[in-house]
Amino acid sequence: MSDVAFYFIAPRTLGITNLNKEEAYSYISSRVRLTLSSKSLKSQILDEQSFINTATRDHNNDLKVIRKLGAYWWDIIKKKTKTHTKIIRRLAHETNPEVRLNNITQLTQDIIQITEVNKSIWQSCLSLSNPEHRLNFATFLNYVNVCYIYSIKTNITNHTLNPNIEPEYASINQSLQKLTNNESYYSKKIRLNTELPNEREAEEYLVKISKLKKYFQSEMFVDTSNNKVVIKRLKEPIAVLSAIFAAICGFTVERVAASNWETVSRGGLYLMAFAIIGYAIRDRLKDRLKLIINNILSNYFPDNNIILETQSNKIGNIKEWFHITDSTKLPNSVQQLRYSKLGSKIDKYQPEDVMQLRCLYRTKLQDEIKNTGYAIQNIIRVNMSRYFENLDEAYKEIPAFTKDNDVISLQTRRLYNAYLIAEIKQKKKIIKNIAYKISINKEGVTHVEKLRLNKKTYST
């Protein structure tokens, strides 16, 4: 069981508290799927190789196995791309010769391994008897591999790792060129149209790739259904009880008013006034009681309970709690992280609002899924366009001094910094914190930066 709490901390200018809880929660959506766990890339290489070898050897034109093979390769390449990008970035700044050599060796060996595995997958693709299945698999496979090759080559260029000038990078360049040559050979062998001479063909290709992604990843999709949680079932009874209690209070006020003022009012004027006051109190008290009871219950009962299923087999559930609050009500561990580690001292004096989403994961994956190194991935999306409307114009003119002591006007972007902090717990103990700084303006998100945290922060 994993407990993950997300805190989106933003300037009050965004107007987060302008929306009620139900409306703000409706702007959050999630998509759950199976994905290759990061652990499998480090410690389950043999299991990966075993699965791929089995699938490429014994697929017997089984479309289900082929789709799973395509999805598996796509996940591996995505993970490898991220890992290799980090290695290239480190190489651009690393000065220790031994560390540089280890990084170069690791990257070279990984590319060689990708080339060999890719070769066996292409051979499996060519052996498919159905021409349509063969073409679909080849198109998707070519797209995945070309994305990887382009990403690595671009990163090498951007970080000025020139194999022609620095001989130590020659092994990386040679292994990458071999992968490129193999990909070109197989795409020509199956007669793929890899050239996109005009915009129309590029658009059609993009549409096809989008469909193929869903087609091959369909074996990894997780079906979700919302189970009606207790707090939603109690919504009507809470409203009724609040109305009854408020009516009793209002009636009491009216009776007290009548007994005290009936002899004084003579014409009933004061009695009428206190009756109106009692009615108003009753109405306001009903809404207030309803809000208080809902807030109390929301701490114990989730706002949503998502049931997870794969191929009609239940594999777990996700319980969600959603709250809108301000920065003064953040947990101590998150407050310390926000104002001691991520910001300056003056940030404490800036009013900030908080959207908090807590997800409690309970999963029981089948052995078939576990053995292939897969885990649950929950992609959470927040529609921020509603909040961007409250921001000032994206650009602002500011006066500035020149070197000649002249005053000029400069146009600069007006940015607001928001922070996304994730606190991950297992057995009620914080095991990890993750934080991002998000720069935004009226036009949208301009920059996202992952922040480095001190490991001591995890134990706070």
Side-chain angles (χ1 to χ4, degrees), residues 329-364:
K329 296 182 177 63
L330 285 171
N332 291 334
S333 57
V334 180
Q335 273 200 1
Q336 182 182 351
L337 185 60
R338 166 65 184 96
Y339 298 113
S340 298
K341 304 289 182 181
L342 306 181
S344 62
K345 292 181 180 180
I346 63 173
D347 285 353
K348 285 187 177 181
Y349 302 95
Q350 312 301 314
E352 292 181 316
D353 293 328
V354 180
M355 281 195 294
Q356 177 187 350
L357 178 66
R358 178 192 172 202
C359 299
L360 186 63
Y361 296 86
R362 286 190 174 95
T363 57
K364 187 178 180 181

Side-chain angles (χ1 to χ4, degrees), residues 14 20 50 58 67 70 129 208 224 250 259 261 264 279 299 310 334 336 376 395 403 424 430:
L14 262 72
N20 58 41
S50 174
D58 304 327
R67 289 207 308 268
S129 56
K208 184 174 183 179
T224 61
S259 63
W261 291 95
V264 181
Y279 182 82
N299 292 323
T310 57
V334 180
Q336 182 182 351
I376 292 292
Y395 294 90
K403 293 180 179 180
I424 305 171
I430 301 174

Side-chain angles (χ1 to χ4, degrees), residues 6 25-33 222-224 226 304 306 308 318 320 357 359 361 377-383:
F6 301 94
Y25 190 35
S26 68
Y27 287 107
I28 298 177
S29 61
S30 62
R31 184 169 67 92
V32 185
R33 67 182 294 269
V222 176
D223 296 323
T224 61
N226 294 330
N304 200 8
I306 304 172
L308 308 177
I318 305 173
E320 292 183 348
L357 178 66
C359 299
Y361 296 86
Q377 180 187 56
N378 186 14
I379 303 171
I380 299 173
R381 297 175 178 175
V382 181
N383 184 356

Side-chain angles (χ1 to χ4, degrees), residues 198-358:
N198 55 59
E199 186 178 352
R200 180 177 177 80
E201 288 196 20
E203 290 173 351
E204 291 177 353
Y205 175 76
L206 185 60
V207 170
K208 184 174 183 179
I209 289 298
S210 179
K211 291 180 179 179
L212 287 175
K213 282 183 182 179
K214 295 178 177 64
Y215 173 74
F216 282 98
Q217 292 177 340
S218 60
E219 289 297 320
M220 300 297 115
F221 289 165
V222 176
D223 296 323
T224 61
S225 58
N226 294 330
N227 186 22
K228 198 170 185 179
V229 295
V230 175
I231 194 169
K232 290 183 178 179
R233 293 173 181 171
L234 293 176
K235 193 171 183 179
E236 289 303 323
I238 289 172
V240 172
L241 289 174
S242 300
I244 292 173
F245 186 75
I248 293 172
C249 293
F251 179 75
T252 303
V253 171
E254 290 176 9
R255 294 292 295 176
V256 171
S259 63
N260 290 342
W261 291 95
E262 188 174 10
T263 57
V264 181
S265 62
R266 295 181 180 180
L269 180 61
Y270 286 104
L271 180 62
M272 183 182 297
F274 271 91
I276 294 172
I277 292 173
Y279 182 82
I281 290 175
R282 183 187 66 181
D283 196 47
R284 293 293 299 164
L285 190 61
K286 180 187 71 173
D287 294 337
R288 189 64 181 170
L289 282 172
K290 184 179 176 181
L291 181 62
I292 291 173
I293 295 173
N294 273 324
N295 287 340
I296 293 173
L297 292 178
S298 66
N299 292 323
Y300 301 97
F301 299 106
D303 295 292
N304 200 8
N305 184 23
I306 304 172
I307 307 300
L308 308 177
E309 293 181 335
T310 57
Q311 301 174 6
S312 301
N313 295 317
K314 183 178 177 180
I315 60 172
N317 69 310
I318 305 173
K319 292 182 178 180
E320 292 183 348
W321 287 262
F322 180 76
H323 299 282
I324 294 178
T325 182
D326 59 70
S327 55
T328 61
K329 296 182 177 63
L330 285 171
N332 291 334
S333 57
V334 180
Q335 273 200 1
Q336 182 182 351
L337 185 60
R338 166 65 184 96
Y339 298 113
S340 298
K341 304 289 182 181
L342 306 181
S344 62
K345 292 181 180 180
I346 63 173
D347 285 353
K348 285 187 177 181
Y349 302 95
Q350 312 301 314
E352 292 181 316
D353 293 328
V354 180
M355 281 195 294
Q356 177 187 350
L357 178 66
R358 178 192 172 202

Side-chain angles (χ1 to χ4, degrees), residues 86-107:
K86 291 178 181 178
I87 292 176
I88 293 170
R89 288 174 181 172
R90 287 200 300 266
L91 282 171
H93 305 285
E94 184 60 60
T95 57
N96 187 314
E98 185 176 352
V99 175
R100 288 175 64 85
L101 180 60
N102 290 337
N103 286 330
I104 291 171
T105 303
Q106 179 188 345
L107 181 54

